[in-house]
């Protein structure tokens, strides 16, 4: 006679939060991040398109190609046996897996018209990817990562964190106007400029942070500058306030980065 052995919640949690589960989730989430936006992403046409408040130029969105490629590379790297028990992947792996999953979930949410939920997904991308990026940057500067590990993780975390923040700001500006929370016109332009300024503050803080010299931080800063350049190109004929704010934020980031590079490192 077979006896039923109850499964304790502790054992279930230990399995769900274990190294193998993290590796599998990261691979599945990285694949979903690529496949769902590609094959089930939003299709905006005519009047269904979101309001253009601080929308970057269409060419700016090519940043997704290196984000997808680096994310898959990281997922494959961390899935290897030797990487399973590394502390850095236990710390940064979960947030990055969550950021990948949030990116994948975002596409069907937008396509099904659940725009505020999609905005929440963008916020999750920004927060989770930035959490993982900072942990990777700190481990990198402590000499805890090999060149292969830096190559696999730094670009994915840095680019996704920056682009997640930029997308969150751009989409929020459009959402506020489309839901008549902010009227189109001058007030929408003011809100858009304020959101761009906020992104600039985040960027300058990242550049001036202790881990500013890390590879992941450089990818972060470069991607954010790419987003600002896209806004400048995309808004140059319709919103001078957006262009001026984006240019000012990018200039501030570059100025802080140049000053920090010229300062001697403390021993």
């Amino acid at each position: 006679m077979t006896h039923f052995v109850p499964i304790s919640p502790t054992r279930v949690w230990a399995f769900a939060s274990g190294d193998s589960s993290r590796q599998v989730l990261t691979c599945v989430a990285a694949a979903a991040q690529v496949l769902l936006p590609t094959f089930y992403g939003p299709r905006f046409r005519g009047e269904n398109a979101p309001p253009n408040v601080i929308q970057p130029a269409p060419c700016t969105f090519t940043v997704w190609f290196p984000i997808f490629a680096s994310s898959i590379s990281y997922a494959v790297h961390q899935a290897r046996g030797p990487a399973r028990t590394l502390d850095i992947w236990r710390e940064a792996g979960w947030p990055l897996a969550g950021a990948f999953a949030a990116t994948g979930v975002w596409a069907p949410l937008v396509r099904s018209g659940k725009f505020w939920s999609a905005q929440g997904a963008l916020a999750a991308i920004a927060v989770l990817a930035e959490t993982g990026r900072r942990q990777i940057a700190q481990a990198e500067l402590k000499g805890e990562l090999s060149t292969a590990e830096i190559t696999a993780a730094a670009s994915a975390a840095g680019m996704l964190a920056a682009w997640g923040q930029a997308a969150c700001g751009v989409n929020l500006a459009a959402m506020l106007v489309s839901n008549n929370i902010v009227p189109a016109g001058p007030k929408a332009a003011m809100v858009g400029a304020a959101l761009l300024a906020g992104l600039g503050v985040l960027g300058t803080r990242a550049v001036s942070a202790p881990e500013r010299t890390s590879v992941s931080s450089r990818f972060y800063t470069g991607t954010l500058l790419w987003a600002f350049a896209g806004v400048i190109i995309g808004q140059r004929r319709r919103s001078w306030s957006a262009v001026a704010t984006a240019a000012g934020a990018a200039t501030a980031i570059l100025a802080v980065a140049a000053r920090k590079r010229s300062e001697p490192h403390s021993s």
Side-chain angles (χ1 to χ4, degrees), residues 2-31:
T2 303
H3 296 282
F4 173 74
V5 179
I7 300 176
S8 67
T10 303
R11 293 182 62 185
V12 173
W13 172 251
F15 174 78
S17 61
D19 296 327
S20 297
S21 298
R22 185 191 68 250
Q23 289 178 307
V24 172
L25 175 61
T26 300
C27 291
V28 171

Side-chain angles (χ1 to χ4, degrees), residues 5-253:
V5 179
I7 300 176
S8 67
T10 303
R11 293 182 62 185
V12 173
W13 172 251
F15 174 78
S17 61
D19 296 327
S20 297
S21 298
R22 185 191 68 250
Q23 289 178 307
V24 172
L25 175 61
T26 300
C27 291
V28 171
Q33 177 184 244
V34 176
L35 296 175
L36 286 176
T38 301
F39 296 104
Y40 199 70
R43 300 290 186 269
F44 296 120
R45 295 179 180 177
E47 295 180 354
N48 294 325
N52 185 351
V53 183
I54 50 173
Q55 189 82 359
C59 62
T60 317
F61 294 93
T62 56
V63 72
W64 279 115
F65 291 110
I67 289 176
F68 287 161
S70 60
S71 297
I72 292 296
S73 176
Y74 161 72
V76 171
H77 178 85
Q78 63 84 45
R80 300 180 311 146
R84 178 174 300 172
T85 58
L86 291 179
D87 288 339
I88 179 57
W89 303 142
R90 286 173 171 169
E91 295 171 357
W94 286 110
L96 286 181
F100 296 164
T103 307
V105 167
W106 168 83
L109 286 175
V110 174
R111 187 148 182 166
S112 61
K114 298 177 180 178
F115 299 118
W116 282 111
S117 296
Q119 179 66 29
L122 290 177
I125 295 169
V127 172
L128 292 172
E130 176 64 7
T131 300
R133 182 193 73 80
R134 288 181 178 269
Q135 291 170 333
I136 290 170
Q138 292 167 6
E140 177 190 338
L141 295 181
K142 292 177 182 177
E144 298 175 357
L145 299 180
S146 66
T147 301
E149 289 164 346
I150 293 172
T151 302
S155 56
M159 287 190 291
L160 190 57
W163 192 253
Q165 291 172 11
C168 193
V170 169
N171 192 73
L172 179 58
M175 287 286 294
L176 292 174
V177 175
S178 65
N179 286 275
N180 296 317
I181 298 174
V182 176
K187 289 186 177 180
M190 289 176 59
V191 170
L195 289 169
L196 288 171
L199 290 172
V201 171
L202 288 176
T204 53
R205 289 185 63 182
V207 171
S208 60
E211 65 270 13
R212 64 187 179 275
T213 59
S214 67
V215 174
S216 61
S217 294
R218 290 172 181 172
F219 270 104
Y220 167 89
T221 304
T223 304
L224 196 54
L225 290 173
W226 174 263
F228 283 134
V231 171
I232 293 170
I233 296 171
Q235 299 298 317
R236 71 189 187 279
R237 294 181 179 176
R238 64 175 309 277
S239 176
W240 279 106
S241 62
V243 170
T245 307
T251 301
I253 292 173

